[in-house]
């Protein structure tokens, strides 16, 4: 696991918000590809269509998807070599037992997104301020909106 570090120029941007999410939650999915922002978002929604069913695009461009009994906070960013995304599952309400929605999240979001590796994406994970892919850390240092 590698620490996800925030570049100074990213302070006050959606990049910083996603950095805080990785630091605050115990599980995130990371996706990195060579295509543009529209392509990675399109591919994520194609393989995990529930992300688009009931969602809110925030003013900063990040997204909250309400998927059944849980939510996914996510966003995609540009970097000079392509694009990357971070997705974090969250309980639908405080005090909710994670076991109520973990299996659904795995079937509806996690497992489908892992299939993107067959399309040339690097798919990893992380949480608590760290990610599994060193290359993702490098790309994140150069990420912007």
């Amino acid at each position: 696991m590698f620490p996800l570090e925030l570049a100074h120029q990213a302070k006050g941007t959606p990049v910083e918000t996603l950095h805080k999410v990785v630091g605050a939650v115990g599980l995130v999915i990371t996706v990195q590809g060579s295509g543009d922002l529209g392509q990675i978002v399109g591919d994520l929604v194609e393989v995990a269509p529930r992300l688009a069913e009931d969602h809110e695009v925030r003013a900063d461009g990040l997204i909250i998807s309400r998927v059944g009994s849980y939510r996914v906070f996510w966003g995609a960013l540009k970097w000079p070599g392509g694009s990357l995304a971070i997705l974090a599952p969250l309980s639908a309400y405080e005090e909710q037992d994670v076991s109520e929605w973990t299996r659904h999240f795995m079937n509806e979001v996690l497992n489908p997104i892992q299939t993107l590796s067959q399309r040339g994406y690097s798919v990893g994970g992380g949480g608590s301020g760290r990610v599994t892919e060193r290359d993702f850390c490098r790309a994140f240092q150069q990420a912007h909106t």
Side-chain angles (χ1 to χ4, degrees):
M1 297 282 281
F2 305 95
L4 191 64
E5 297 177 0
L6 182 67
H8 181 71
Q9 70 271 14
K11 292 199 183 288
T13 71
V15 178
E16 181 179 26
T17 303
L18 287 172
H19 180 264
K20 287 179 180 178
V21 167
V22 173
V25 301
L27 172 68
V28 296
I29 304 169
T30 61
V31 183
Q32 180 180 350
S34 58
D36 65 16
L37 206 53
Q39 182 179 358
I40 197 170
V41 170
D43 288 345
L44 286 167
V45 170
E46 179 185 333
V47 298
R50 301 257 355 239
L51 291 173
E53 286 178 7
D54 181 9
H55 68 282
E56 170 191 340
V57 179
R58 297 169 13 138
D60 61 4
L62 300 177
I63 301 164
I64 299 174
S65 298
R66 287 170 284 288
V67 185
S69 58
Y70 61 96
R71 298 171 296 153
V72 179
F73 184 81
W74 62 288
L77 305 167
K78 296 181 272 190
W79 71 285
S83 56
L84 52 88
I86 294 174
L87 300 93
L90 305 167
S91 294
Y93 56 89
E94 282 201 42
E95 310 290 327
Q96 182 182 21
D97 189 335
V98 174
S99 67
E100 290 179 28
W101 54 266
T102 303
R103 186 174 41 91
H104 297 287
F105 169 73
M106 290 176 63
N107 291 333
E108 298 166 342
V109 179
L110 177 62
N111 294 342
I113 287 176
Q114 288 179 328
T115 67
L116 289 175
S117 63
Q118 298 166 0
R119 298 188 194 182
Y121 285 95
S122 174
V123 180
S128 302
R130 304 176 78 75
V131 296
T132 58
E133 307 294 319
R134 183 185 304 273
D135 286 343
F136 188 90
C137 290
R138 290 184 187 123
F140 191 81
Q141 282 284 308
Q142 303 171 56
H144 57 92
T145 54

